[in-house]
Amino acid sequence: GILSFAPNVTTQVTIGSAPSTASWELMAKQPETANINAFQKDPVMNSNTHILGTTKGVYLFDAPDSNQWNLSGLHEHNILSVESGFDINSLRQNFFAGTADQGLFKTTDGGSTWSRAVTGNGFDNLSIYDMHARANDVIAGQLDFLFAATSDGVVEYRLASEPSPWSKVNNVLNGSTLAGSTVSSLLESDPTGNPHLIITVPDGPNAGVYASKSANPGDGWYKIDSTESAIATSQPYRASLDDQSPANLYIMGKNGSVFSISTAAIDLALNTPIPNVLGLLWVAQGPFDTGYGQQLMASGSQIYAATTQGVKEQLSPPVSMWTEVASSTLLPNSDVTHLENLSDSGLFGAIAFTR
């Protein structure tokens, strides 16, 4: 089902076949009125700990059957993003919280105490809009890398570089540096075993979509949307992958425009001695006609969108019409800010957040 978190209320909807049928049901009370900005499902080590980032700190949902969110800390901070990774030394999950203008925090004791994850070099005043953790292939769940989309480009944590694991990785190989640019979203695409990070820059002279040349963004970024000028002008600020093999990448602009491309095409363009992104072909999906689009999730031939007027769907993209997910009961708040997949396959276990 789809969960919807709103101030003081949590609800669930189950999505069926087209046209989708749904029933929003009360699931749990949120401890206090706060806007929800970020969520991460139970991490890879199955600790049964969901993480919630709000305008009033971090909450942990560590006993799902009790339907209780417990304040973990950072109550005075506006939390924009959350992530976690397993620490092989302490044998515990480390939780990370990205704030608005106050940098990155982490806890190594399950949320009892929080401290800055990195200081100096301008890290203390960064806004952290999105994060992605890359785990070790051999030691299950061990955090090898943490990538953060920030108000000053992309920040990387690399375990192998201890005791100085943090750096900014903003070199663009076919354009200007990302230093000083706001990166609004970040994800990892891996269609052929050669992962690339994908990021969106919504505003300014560097507006567009970028992919790392390799698994290591320190090797540089390529701007990959130059063949479709409408992407940059749409202010691209959200990215999503569907569950196809290989996956399709979806980009949503602030003006409601939606674009897609096969990740296999990106992989093919970059995994060559001399990368060439000038042949990439983007598909323009149908834009929103009502409601301000804020996030996408895709599965098969269906695309779901968080909008200011509820959860909407396209059944057979590209088409020009979005329809609201049908429901026998109304959402308590139709301003849906984010969608997050809870299921390992398909779209039928997802999180939606309302303002």
Side-chain angles (χ1 to χ4, degrees):
I2 285 185
L3 298 177
S4 173
F5 293 100
N8 214 37
V9 67
T10 304
T11 56
Q12 175 176 338
V13 61
T14 301
I15 290 185
S17 58
S20 294
T21 57
S23 178
W24 298 94
E25 301 171 359
L26 180 66
M27 293 293 292
K29 292 285 187 179
Q30 190 181 318
E32 65 175 308
T33 301
N35 286 334
I36 287 94
N37 297 322
F39 173 88
Q40 189 198 42
K41 66 177 180 178
D42 179 13
V44 292
M45 296 304 292
N46 295 316
S47 64
N48 290 322
T49 302
H50 301 308
I51 314 167
L52 194 66
T54 80
T55 51
K56 294 183 179 180
V58 179
Y59 288 84
L60 299 181
F61 192 66
D62 53 12
D65 292 338
S66 68
N67 286 338
Q68 292 294 319
W69 288 98
N70 300 308
L71 179 63
S72 172
L74 302 178
H75 187 266
E76 70 281 10
H77 292 284
N78 182 7
I79 308 300
L80 302 178
S81 57
V82 291
E83 186 56 279
S84 70
F86 186 68
D87 181 10
I88 191 62
N89 295 315
S90 65
L91 300 179
R92 301 193 68 168
Q93 286 286 345
N94 289 343
F95 300 128
F96 295 87
T99 69
D101 303 321
Q102 295 295 317
L104 182 64
F105 289 79
K106 79 171 183 176
T107 178
T108 59
D109 56 12
S112 296
T113 59
W114 291 81
S115 62
R116 289 191 178 275
V118 56
T119 60
N121 195 28
F123 288 110
D124 301 70
N125 299 319
L126 289 178
S127 291
I128 313 293
Y129 298 103
D130 200 3
M131 288 187 280
H132 171 69
R134 183 189 294 161
N136 189 286
D137 291 333
V138 178
I139 305 173
Q142 177 182 308
L143 179 66
D144 278 358
F145 292 89
L146 180 71
F147 306 103
T150 81
S151 52
D152 189 19
V154 178
V155 168
E156 174 191 82
Y157 166 86
R158 182 192 292 257
L159 177 64
S161 297
E162 291 279 11
S164 300
W166 296 93
S167 63
K168 296 179 181 178
V169 285
N170 289 326
N171 182 36
V172 178
L173 300 174
N174 64 340
S176 302
T177 175
L178 294 171
S181 296
T182 292
V183 178
S184 56
S185 65
L186 180 153
L187 56 77
E188 185 168 85
S189 164
D190 188 9
T192 59
N194 298 296
H196 302 277
L197 294 178
I198 308 293
I199 59 173
T200 57
V201 177
D203 303 301
N206 292 330
V209 183
Y210 296 78
S212 61
K213 178 183 178 182
S214 67
N216 176 19
D219 291 339
W221 300 90
Y222 275 91
K223 195 173 189 294
I224 61 172
D225 64 337
S226 299
T227 55
E228 180 54 82
S229 60
I231 296 178
T233 57
S234 76
Q235 296 181 281
Y237 79 125
R238 289 290 184 263
S240 179
L241 297 171
D242 64 17
D243 61 354
Q244 300 299 291
S245 182
N248 293 299
L249 171 69
Y250 292 84
I251 301 295
M252 181 164 62
K254 290 183 178 180
N255 69 356
S257 298
V258 180
F259 304 87
S260 66
I261 190 171
S262 170
T263 57
I266 298 172
D267 191 67
L268 182 64
L270 295 177
N271 289 338
T272 61
I274 304 177
N276 181 8
V277 297
L278 296 180
L280 292 176
L281 297 178
W282 291 82
V283 176
Q285 307 289 338
F288 295 110
D289 52 359
T290 60
Y292 178 72
Q294 304 187 92
Q295 178 65 329
L296 289 175
M297 277 203 322
S299 178
S301 63
Q302 292 177 292
I303 306 175
Y304 292 84
T307 81
T308 54
Q309 295 185 15
V311 179
K312 298 189 178 183
E313 61 184 337
Q314 275 193 14
L315 301 183
S316 300
V319 295
S320 59
M321 182 178 295
W322 290 81
T323 59
E324 186 173 357
V325 171
S327 175
S328 59
T329 57
L330 296 177
L331 276 169
N333 187 335
S334 62
D335 188 359
V336 183
T337 61
H338 185 72
L339 295 172
E340 185 78 27
N341 201 353
L342 270 185
S343 172
D344 292 331
S345 62
L347 183 64
F348 305 103
I351 291 290
F353 311 99
T354 64
R355 203 182 302 277

